Amino acid sequence: CPGRPPGRLDLAVLRGRRSKLGNDKPSDAFNFSLNLSEKRVIDKVRMRIAVRKLKAEPKMARTMLGKRSGWREVIDGDTVQFPLQIRSRRRGDRFHPLGQSKPMKLKDFLMREHFSSHHKSFWPMVISKGEIIWIPGYRLSDLVKVKLDTRNFIELAAERT
């Protein structure tokens, strides 16, 4: 860079704002779509993600509220739009974790959950309507949680392959 002593690094490059190669576009490690009743294997992270509709009566909503783990989640089907998108993180992503009053930077959530740098770049995120709704193995979004009046249940499941 002009006006800079030789051997000094550009801080914008270190902060990820610019690449030394001139490639300023965010790079997606992967980006897939996922329809209802479909499974997708993501080879980069050795994970299989599946979506299916659950046949449940409205009175089962209370039961569905308790059936959660990081790898299997039940969501309100009326709050999502298909096809869902599975992709790696992008700069500026925000996430509204279940139980939080407001969204937070995805970067901050991943740091709080002690993600390694490698996992931060390649861990899959499930997206609907441009919002992250699930980080498999970790947390569901508050935007798609099952409520007592939920009538349309969708199961999201992930497993390591």
Side-chain angles (χ1 to χ4, degrees), residues 1-126:
C1 292
R4 188 165 295 147
R8 301 247 358 232
L9 293 175
D10 185 353
L11 288 178
V13 170
L14 291 175
R15 291 183 181 135
R17 292 191 187 136
R18 273 188 305 180
S19 154
K20 279 191 171 184
L21 303 174
N23 181 6
D24 292 338
K25 296 179 187 174
S27 62
D28 278 341
F30 53 86
N31 192 347
F32 304 106
S33 63
L34 185 67
N35 285 306
L36 195 57
S37 302
E38 188 178 7
K39 294 178 184 174
R40 176 74 65 176
V41 175
I42 305 164
D43 293 325
K44 270 193 177 178
V45 290
R46 298 186 312 255
M47 189 181 294
R48 179 181 305 123
I49 298 179
V51 178
R52 70 182 180 113
K53 184 175 175 89
L54 294 177
K55 295 176 181 152
E57 298 175 21
K59 64 183 179 184
M60 292 192 64
R62 208 177 280 279
T63 309
M64 293 296 180
L65 284 169
K67 293 194 176 189
R68 285 201 309 264
S69 75
W71 296 97
R72 180 182 171 272
E73 296 285 357
V74 177
I75 64 171
D76 183 347
D78 295 329
T79 60
V80 296
Q81 181 179 6
F82 287 95
L84 298 177
Q85 183 183 12
I86 302 172
R87 66 168 171 81
S88 53
R89 76 179 182 137
R90 292 183 184 154
R91 184 180 302 143
D93 274 342
R94 296 188 69 76
F95 179 55
H96 193 158
L98 187 63
Q100 294 273 338
S101 59
K102 58 185 180 181
M104 63 190 305
K105 291 178 184 177
L106 179 63
K107 172 179 142 181
D108 294 340
F109 174 79
L110 297 176
M111 275 191 346
R112 192 177 75 194
E113 294 294 322
H114 305 289
F115 268 69
S116 69
S117 344
H118 174 74
H119 281 112
K120 282 181 192 176
S121 300
F122 293 104
W123 201 260
M125 315 284 163
V126 179

